[in-house]
C-alpha cells in the first residue's frame, strides 16, 4: 500500500498531518507524533502579541532585578534574557526539525507587517520546511469591509512570500462572502497551500456567573462537512495544495476528505483526545480501507468525489434533493 503523497511540493510518507496544537509544545512531543507515523507536523502558532507580552515582562523583570536584592540581580535578568519568546519558539523548531525525519512546518500569527516577514524568515532559518500563516483575526469592528479583510490576507501572503523561499500555506477561515473566490485569489497570489478551515474561538456566556467564558472545545466529525464541501468544490481548480482541517476522528474521516480532493488531512482534536498514538490508528485504518476498496495509492483516491465529478450533489441541486428527502421524512434521527 503506497500512502506517500505531495504537500506544498514536499514529499510526505503519508497524508496525515498533526495540525497546530499544544501537542507540539516540546521536541519530545513532536517526536511522539512522528513515531506514531504522521507525514508532517505543524507546530503550534507563534503569536506576535504573546511575544510582545513576554518582551514587556522581560523588561519588567530586568528592571525589577536591577532594583532589588543581589540574588534577584543574578537570577531574574539572566532567566528573562535567556530564552525570550521568539528564541524559545525558534529553538523548539530547530530541535524538532533535527529530531524527526518528517517535515516540521512553522505556524505564524503576526500582527504587524514587519512581524509577518521577520518571524517567517526566522522560522525558515531555524529549519521550518514550510510556513503556515494562521491569519486568525476576527473583524470585530462592524465598519471593516469584506474587501479590506480579503486584502489583508493577500498583503500578508505577499509579504511572507517575499521574505522566504520555503513554501507558504494559508490557513483560512470559512467566513468570507465567497470563500471560493478568496481561495482563487490566494492561489493566484502564489499560496503554495490552502488549509481549510481554521476554527475560531467562540466565547460563551455563563448566565449563572454573569461572565463571558472563553470557548475552545474540541471538534466533532459533523464539523468536517463545511471544509469537505469547499475542498470538493476547489479540487482541480487551484494550483495550491489543499489541506483539510477539522473534524477528523476516524480513518473514515480521513478517507472522506481524500475522496473530496484533499492532498493532506490534518488532525488536532482527535490527537488531543486520544493521544499522539491515535495517528497510527488513523493510518492503519486508512490503509485497511484502501485495501478493502482496491486502491493501491492515495492518488487513486484523491478527488474521486470532488465537485467537478459530482457538482450537483454539492451545490444547489444537492441541497434541493436533500431537502426533498427530508421533507418526505427521510433523515437520520
Ligand atoms: C487546543 C488547541 C490549540 C490550537 N492551537 C492552534 C494554533 O496554535 N495555531 C493554529 O493555527 N491552530 C490551532 N488550533 C487549531 C487546529 O490546528 C485545527 O485547525 C482545528 O482544531 C481543527 O482541527 P481538529 O478538528 O482536528 O481539531 C488549535 C486547536 C486546539 C484544539
Amino acid at each position: 500500500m503506497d500512502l506517500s503523497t505531495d504537500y506544498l511540493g514536499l514529499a510526505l510518507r503519508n497524508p496525515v498531518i498533526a495540525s497546530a496544537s499544544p501537542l507540539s509544545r516540546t521536541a519530545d512531543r513532536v517526536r511522539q507524533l512522528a513515531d506514531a507515523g504522521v507525514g508532517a507536523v505543524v507546530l503550534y502558532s507563534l503569536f506576535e502579541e504573546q511575544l510582545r507580552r513576554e518582551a514587556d515582562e522581560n523588561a519588567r523583570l530586568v528592571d525589577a532585578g536591577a532594583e532589588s536584592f543581589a540574588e534577584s540581580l543574578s537570577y531574574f535578568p539572566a532567566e528573562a534574557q535567556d530564552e525570550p519568546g521568539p528564541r524559545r519558539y525558534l529553538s523548539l523548531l530547530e530541535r524538532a526539525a533535527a529530531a524527526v525525519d518528517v517535515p516540521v512546518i512553522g505556524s505564524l500569527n503576526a500582527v504587524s507587517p514587519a512581524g509577518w516577514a521577520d518571524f517567517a524568515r526566522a522560522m525558515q532559518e531555524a529549519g521550518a520546511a514550510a510556513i503556515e500563516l494562521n491569519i486568525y483575526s476576527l473583524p470585530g469592528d462592524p465598519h471593516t469591509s469584506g474587501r479590506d479583510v480579503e486584502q489583508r490576507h493577500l498583503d500578508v501572503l505577499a509579504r511572507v512570500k517575499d521574505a522566504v523561499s520555503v513554501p507558504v500555506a494559508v490557513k483560512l477561515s470559512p467566513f468570507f462572502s465567497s470563500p471560493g473566490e478568496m481561495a482563487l485569489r490566494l492561489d493566484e497570489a502564489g499560496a503554495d497551500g490552502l488549509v481549510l478551515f481554521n476554527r475560531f474561538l467562540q466565547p460563551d456566556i455563563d448566565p449563572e456567573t454573569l461572565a463571558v467564558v472563553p470557548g475552545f472545545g474540541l471538534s466533532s466529525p459533523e464539523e468536517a462537512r463545511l471544509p469537505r464541501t469547499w475542498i470538493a468544490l476547489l479540487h482541480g481548480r487551484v494550483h495550491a495544495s489543499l489541506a483539510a482541517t477539522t473534524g477528523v476522528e476516524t480513518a473514515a474521516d480521513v478517507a472522506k476528505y481524500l475522496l473530496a480532493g484533499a492532498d493532506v488531512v490534518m488532525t488536532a482534536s482527535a490527537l488531543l483526545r486520544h493521544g499522539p498514538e491515535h495517528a497510527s490508528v488513523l493510518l492503519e485504518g486508512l490503509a485497511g480501507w484502501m485495501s478493502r476498496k482496491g486502491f493501491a495509492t492515495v492518488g487513486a483516491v484523491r478527488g474521486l468525489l470532488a465537485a467537478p465529478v459530482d457538482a450537483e450533489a454539492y451545490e444547489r441541486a444537492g441541497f434541493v434533493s436533500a431537502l426533498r428527502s427530508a421533507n418526505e421524512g427521510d433523515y437520520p434521527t
Side-chain angles (χ1 to χ4, degrees):
M1 182 67 51
D2 181 8
L3 293 185
S4 66
T5 194
D6 180 279
Y7 177 54
L8 311 173
L10 306 168
L12 305 192
R13 62 186 176 185
N14 67 63
V16 174
I17 294 185
S19 67
S21 87
L23 282 171
S24 55
R25 285 253 160 204
T26 66
D28 264 354
R29 286 178 163 195
V30 172
R31 200 179 297 113
Q32 282 172 19
L33 290 164
D35 289 348
V38 295
V41 177
V42 184
L43 287 197
Y44 72 94
S45 299
L46 178 69
F47 282 88
E48 193 176 354
E49 297 96 314
Q50 208 170 323
L51 298 182
R52 287 226 189 99
R53 251 198 322 274
E54 286 178 15
D56 291 349
E57 179 68 0
N58 238 13
R60 195 186 63 73
L61 289 172
V62 171
D63 288 349
E67 284 163 14
S68 56
F69 50 91
E71 193 189 349
S72 65
L73 262 184
S74 60
Y75 178 63
F76 281 114
E79 164 98 343
Q81 285 162 352
D82 257 7
E83 283 251 279
R87 221 181 308 149
R88 190 180 326 127
Y89 188 94
L90 297 171
S91 147
L92 168 67
L93 185 48
E94 204 170 287
R95 283 177 290 117
V100 298
D101 55 5
V102 296
V104 176
I105 299 171
S107 169
L108 177 58
N109 184 316
V111 179
S112 64
W116 283 105
D118 294 347
F119 292 128
R121 199 178 298 111
M123 282 186 187
Q124 167 171 308
E125 280 162 14
I131 313 283
E132 185 175 288
L133 305 179
N134 169 15
I135 311 185
Y136 183 120
S137 136
L138 281 178
D141 174 358
H143 299 291
T144 307
S145 79
R147 252 345 191 199
D148 284 351
V149 174
E150 293 168 8
Q151 193 54 47
R152 175 158 184 269
H153 283 68
L154 293 163
D155 291 347
V156 166
L157 173 65
R159 227 163 238 286
V160 175
K161 284 292 288 181
D162 270 355
V164 300
S165 55
V166 292
V168 179
V170 182
K171 193 170 187 178
L172 278 182
S173 131
F175 305 121
F176 293 97
S177 296
S178 177
E181 196 227 11
M182 185 73 248
L184 294 184
R185 291 176 76 197
L186 287 164
D187 185 46
E188 273 162 29
D192 299 282
L194 300 171
V195 184
L196 277 56
F197 287 118
N198 216 339
R199 264 179 102 232
F200 284 112
L201 178 81
Q202 293 181 328
D204 203 354
I205 284 181
D206 183 333
E208 290 307 319
T209 58
L210 303 183
V212 178
V213 284
F216 203 91
L218 300 180
S219 68
S220 68
E222 280 297 296
E223 293 174 60
R225 290 177 183 232
L226 179 67
R228 204 164 55 229
T229 299
W230 276 106
I231 283 171
L233 289 165
L234 290 169
H235 175 78
R237 293 182 172 157
V238 288
H239 301 288
S241 301
L242 292 173
T245 174
T246 298
V248 171
E249 174 68 14
T250 65
D253 299 319
V254 178
K256 290 200 246 181
Y257 268 131
L258 292 173
L259 286 166
D263 291 287
V264 291
V265 180
M266 298 185 168
T267 170
S269 291
L271 299 181
L272 286 163
R273 209 176 268 130
H274 308 292
E277 322 73 65
H278 188 64
S280 62
V281 177
L282 296 178
L283 287 162
E284 279 159 29
L286 176 65
W289 171 80
M290 283 171 61
S291 113
R292 250 187 322 111
K293 294 289 171 192
F295 296 118
T297 64
V298 170
V301 176
R302 181 174 297 117
L304 268 185
L305 298 179
V309 180
D310 204 358
E312 289 218 333
Y314 287 107
E315 294 178 16
R316 192 176 164 83
F319 171 68
V320 171
S321 85
L323 205 59
R324 195 181 316 115
S325 305
N327 284 336
E328 287 163 8
D330 180 15
Y331 46 80
T333 49

